[in-house]
Amino acid sequence: MTNHTVADHLLERLRSWDVEHVFGYAGDGINGILAAWVRADDQPRFVQARHEEMAAFAAVGYAKFTGRIGVCTATSGPGAVHLLNGLYDAKLDHVPVVAIVGQTDRTAMGGSYQQEIDLLNLYKDVASDYVQMVTVPEQLPNVLDRAIRIALTQHAPTAVIIPADVQELEYSSPSHAFKMVPSSIGFDVPTLAPDDLAVQRAADTLNTGRKVAILVGQGARGAREEIGEVADLLGAGAAKALLGKDVLSDELPWVTGSIGLLGTRPSYEMMRGCDTLLTVGSSFPYTQSLPDFDQARAVQIDIDGRMIGLRYPNEINLMADAKTALRALLPHLHRKTDRGWREEIESNVTRWWETMNMQAQVDANPVNPLRLFAELSPRLPDNAIVTADSGSSANWYARQLRFRGNIRGSLSGTLATMGSAVPYGIGAKFGHPGRPVIVFVGDGAMQMNGLAELITIKRYWQQWDDPRLIIAILHNNDLNQVTWEMRAMSGSPKFPQSQTLPDVDYAAFAAGLGLYAETITEPERLGPAWEKALSGDRPTVLDVHTDPDMPPIPPHATWEQLKATTAAVLRGDEDSWGFVKKGIKTKAQEFLPHSGS
């Protein structure tokens, strides 16, 4: 009979924490844990990615869309290294993820042994809140419990390193003795309430403002109703940081949409015109998109004292749970009788959505990428989960999709790494197997790792209650976002040797795996393709041939700036005439007559 090993107890402890899935990839540095999984009848469930980085991204996506702990595992050496990018994504977006990593035997440490890396040093930045190595059985429960508890309370990745020989030791629990550290499972999350005097000071500041702007981030997700009440009393509009896109419905007339270079013109105009700023649950980093420092009085609400007061010279910094703080604030706010500011915001929002629709209808060769998103937007199921990759897909995700109901969405917000959208979608499906998931990804990210993860989808999709996982590929044979950044920021023409991608038949690859696939080269086919995918009985890949010359024009860009960019790259860019023509057409939609104009 096999002894109850450290690895057996590890899985038992994860089950006690209600961990249902672990995303990972095998290797001999975790053989002891894999053997325990056999004995545990695959509980918690091991989800095999094609690469450790994808396992980490899937754990991040799982955690983002469930609010639960994401867990990933990898072998020693290269496997541990491969996890890092996904773990940095978790660190920068404040997502609770625990990495369980193998290490060489203790007897080999320090001997330059195969796959030996100093993992404590390697992980000390990415898992700076907590990284520890288990060297004796009695240490395991305390280390694992702390890793989970710290990840959940600090919204950060943590790491547990277990040498291969320790995994196979007979488990012995910590005793009631000197230098033994007992542990326990679970905790009750407190509600962090603000100080009464600070609430009154914040209310006084907000009440004196005539033109109040609200900026919400992912930390405000549980306070949708309270934000609406505050906005109504103050006659305010609300902009959304990219990670907070799903906090408020885009169908609310006072919600201006995303902010920043990927944001909307109404958000830009509101920040330029406000005299008071209320930031809730956001550490949005681009201060140039916020009001001038001497323009607005400011109040911030955030539960994390490390991230408050970072981006703007606020008068009041309330460290508190967003919902609790806003609920405490509401009785002290005065309803503003002058609704002119609110009406101006709502008028700008109405015009913006009309402009977005007009830009999506601009002729392109072959398909306008904006239209890919615009055709989906009204068709989105109210319980859909949407992910987008970094690159040009993030632009149109931010601007063209109108979220409503219980629609959730996310991307790699702060790390802005390529290759996260498809594994995010896989993690979302394991977290919510009954909800449809839509993934937007560029062909660069698809070639980087997305194609391989279609194999993961092939393996697992029939186990999901709802089989709809739709991957829409922006197929333009160009690393398009970088191409545009070179043009706009560096005044440089496209560098084809770096930017041009080899042409790949993504639909054929997907069809070869047994997924439904469709190649789209005509814009009129977008609507029917979305409807077929959304009513499908299996995952779908839409290989959409989009025009690389459609410019992601920032919301504050003027005609003069557009002309300056054009002049800077007109010589030497192989696509110069195409992007000049499309840029002028796209920008012109802002100035053409709108309904009600």
Side-chain angles (χ1 to χ4, degrees), residues 273-284:
C274 71
D275 62 16
T276 309
L277 174 65
L278 171 61
T279 301
V280 185
S282 173
S283 59
F284 175 76

Side-chain angles (χ1 to χ4, degrees), residues 325-337:
L326 292 173
R327 183 54 56 192
L329 194 60
L330 277 165
H332 301 281
L333 297 179
H334 304 152
R335 181 176 179 81
K336 298 192 186 299
T337 56

Side-chain angles (χ1 to χ4, degrees), residues 308-380:
I308 203 165
L310 278 181
R311 312 304 187 196
Y312 200 81
N314 304 316
E315 290 188 23
I316 311 294
N317 290 308
L318 289 179
M319 198 176 84
D321 168 74
K323 185 181 183 73
T324 304
L326 292 173
R327 183 54 56 192
L329 194 60
L330 277 165
H332 301 281
L333 297 179
H334 304 152
R335 181 176 179 81
K336 298 192 186 299
T337 56
D338 183 355
R339 311 305 279 186
W341 170 245
R342 176 71 165 261
E343 291 166 2
E344 177 184 340
I345 290 169
E346 293 184 357
S347 175
N348 290 340
V349 169
T350 299
R351 182 179 178 88
W352 171 260
W353 285 116
E354 291 178 7
T355 299
M356 286 298 92
N357 183 61
M358 293 163 68
Q359 289 186 355
Q361 301 306 314
V362 169
D363 290 336
N365 182 27
V367 175
N368 182 341
L370 285 72
R371 186 164 176 178
L372 170 64
F373 293 75
E375 291 283 357
L376 170 66
S377 194
R379 296 177 169 92
L380 271 172

